[in-house]
Amino acid sequence: MLLRVVLAASFKGHPIDVGTFSAWAGHAAEGLLSFYSPGYFADYPPGYIYVLWLIGKLRALLQTGFDTPEFLVMLKFPAIAADLATIWVIHRLATAQNFGSTQALTLAALYAFNPAVIADSAAWGQVDSVLTLFVLLGVLWLERRPAASGAAFAAALLVKPQALIFAPVPLLWFGNRLFRRHTAAELSLFLPSAILVFAIGVLPFAAVHGPAWVVEKYASTLASYPYASLNAANVFALIGGNGADAAQAVLFLSFKNWGTVFLFIIVAWAVRLAWRGLAPSDCVYLAAFLPVSVYLWSIKMHERYLFPALAMLLAYHILSRDRRALWLFLGFSATLCITMAQVLYLGMRETWYIPRFDPTFLAVSAANLLLWSLLAWTGWRTQRQ
């Protein structure tokens, strides 16, 4: 905690993200319901805007300047708090799975002192840890607490549209149970709570802008940044796609069309893995497999979109005792940290893209592809056992 707070106060973070969050906090504090005013850039859904509104109000109450260490801590604190909550969830999960106290603490420490995790929230100033916490809880609660699971998934979607990457997990879980004629009671608890939480989150703004505003907001956000890769160390980066137009042709298809083809293959692979049934550990595996696969094989990926997979891999290791998951956690932690360090270094010099054929970037992209291959093979081997 202290390490994160000190780093948050002393490191300004990524200029674009910290600058955007600062502006949004001030704008929301001036009038929450007028936040999404015409012509004002805001590509986040309402969930995190509520948090920034509170931060903006607190800043005004304390009369803290925008360009001060105190405000930086305020701005980064929700993500730091989400880090701490995720650490607690990992420790509690390990304890519940009969790991010894030393082992449970070690696993929690692997996440707590992970440089990529610390850098994302305390140094960079991003909020991927908030999304990760809600998704992790949603997956872990699917079987025993379906109502809480639905609420957690809805909260994740309110924070970031990237939560849609994880949508196949509950869909496959409930689809599998209904197909095998198990009770649908869990679904009757999951859906109402998910709908209720999401509706509460968007209703104040939908009342101002109209019901169609919700769909338009998510659609416009997902349609933005039409690039093959946005500093994501993935397959498209390996062939010179970083910062390239998604409409650019590669072989006989555009980057966009290749991304669509790969997305269908990823979903089909997930369905195949879920065909024989889904234990809780299988759901957590899918929650790791999906973000890694979309990151590696889809367009419009930022370097940080790999982040949620770290907590999922650690949770999968705890539930399955599969050591490959631990090695994958360490491997992806290293590659993510390197890429984030490159982007932060360039961002401080107002350069927004890693050069397309940067040797380190290409090496990390190749390493991610190898790690993804091990992740896919791990799921296939587990499913065949």
Side-chain angles (χ1 to χ4, degrees):
M1 173 69 172
L2 181 60
L3 171 64
R4 284 172 160 82
V5 171
V6 170
L7 188 58
S10 57
F11 199 90
K12 288 189 176 181
H14 194 281
I16 291 180
D17 289 342
V18 170
T20 300
F21 288 154
S22 298
W24 287 353
H27 184 56
E30 293 172 358
L32 179 61
L33 295 184
S34 61
F35 178 82
Y36 294 104
S37 53
Y40 187 79
F41 172 78
D43 60 348
Y44 268 45
Y48 204 71
I49 303 305
Y50 290 118
V51 177
L52 291 173
W53 170 69
L54 291 172
I55 293 172
K57 286 293 188 182
L58 180 62
R59 184 207 68 82
L61 179 66
L62 299 178
Q63 297 183 340
T64 303
F66 282 99
D67 193 22
T68 61
E70 292 81 7
F71 181 66
L72 277 175
V73 173
M74 289 183 205
L75 205 61
K76 297 176 180 180
F77 189 78
I80 292 172
D83 277 347
L84 299 179
T86 304
I87 295 163
W88 178 81
V89 171
I90 289 169
H91 181 268
R92 182 163 182 175
L93 181 64
T95 303
Q97 293 298 312
N98 298 317
F99 281 81
S101 58
T102 301
Q103 288 178 303
L105 284 172
T106 301
L107 290 167
L110 283 174
Y111 195 83
F113 296 102
N114 188 311
V117 175
I118 296 173
D120 189 273
S121 56
W124 187 300
Q126 252 296 339
V127 297
D128 300 292
S129 57
V130 180
L131 170 69
T132 299
L133 173 63
F134 284 128
V135 173
L136 179 61
L137 291 174
V139 174
L140 293 177
W141 286 341
L142 256 177
E143 183 175 21
R144 295 186 179 182
R145 300 177 182 176
S149 175
F153 274 114
L157 185 57
L158 284 168
V159 170
K160 277 179 173 279
Q162 288 75 31
L164 290 170
I165 293 171
F166 301 91
V169 178
L171 288 175
L172 288 173
W173 166 258
F174 289 114
N176 187 280
R177 291 182 67 82
L178 292 173
F179 180 78
R180 299 177 188 281
R181 298 181 180 179
H182 290 298
T183 175
E186 296 94 340
L187 185 59
S188 67
L189 294 171
F190 180 96
L191 277 178
S193 90
I195 293 171
L196 178 63
V197 170
F198 187 79
I200 291 172
V202 301
L203 188 59
F205 298 99
V208 174
H209 301 285
W213 172 86
V214 180
V215 176
E216 292 170 359
K217 171 52 61 181
Y218 279 88
S220 63
T221 299
L222 293 172
S224 59
Y225 308 111
Y227 300 102
S229 171
L230 294 97
N231 295 323
N234 60 12
V235 171
F236 294 129
L238 275 173
I239 55 176
N242 192 42
D245 192 323
Q248 180 180 323
V250 179
L251 296 179
F252 52 89
L253 291 176
S254 65
F255 281 118
K256 180 180 179 179
N257 288 336
W258 277 119
T260 302
V261 170
F262 291 143
L263 191 60
F264 276 111
I265 294 173
I266 290 165
V267 173
W269 180 267
V271 172
R272 178 66 182 88
L273 292 177
W275 188 253
R276 292 187 180 181
L278 285 173
S281 63
D282 299 323
C283 290
V284 179
Y285 170 81
L286 284 177
F289 173 77
L290 288 168
V292 174
S293 299
V294 173
Y295 177 86
L296 260 292
W297 296 96
S298 190
I299 63 170
K300 303 182 183 181
M301 293 292 109
H302 282 284
E303 63 293 313
R304 297 169 291 95
Y305 286 5
L306 190 61
F307 183 92
L310 302 185
M312 308 304 159
L313 285 168
L314 205 52
Y316 177 64
H317 166 69
I318 292 170
L319 291 174
S320 67
R321 305 291 178 117
D322 192 329
R323 291 188 178 181
R324 289 170 295 195
L326 193 56
W327 287 111
L328 286 165
F329 166 79
L330 295 173
F332 282 122
S333 295
T335 59
L336 176 60
C337 188
I338 292 169
T339 306
M340 288 177 61
Q342 281 191 285
V343 176
L344 269 175
Y345 176 81
L346 292 173
M348 298 303 293
R349 286 154 181 77
E350 297 187 356
T351 300
W352 311 123
Y353 290 101
I354 300 173
R356 291 182 181 178
F357 298 105
D358 177 82
T360 302
F361 188 50
L362 293 178
V364 171
S365 300
N368 277 335
L369 182 58
L370 290 174
L371 289 167
W372 174 85
S373 301
L374 175 58
L375 177 62
W377 181 77
T378 297
W380 178 256
R381 290 284 297 176
T382 302
Q383 196 263 353
R384 288 173 62 88
Q385 289 175 358

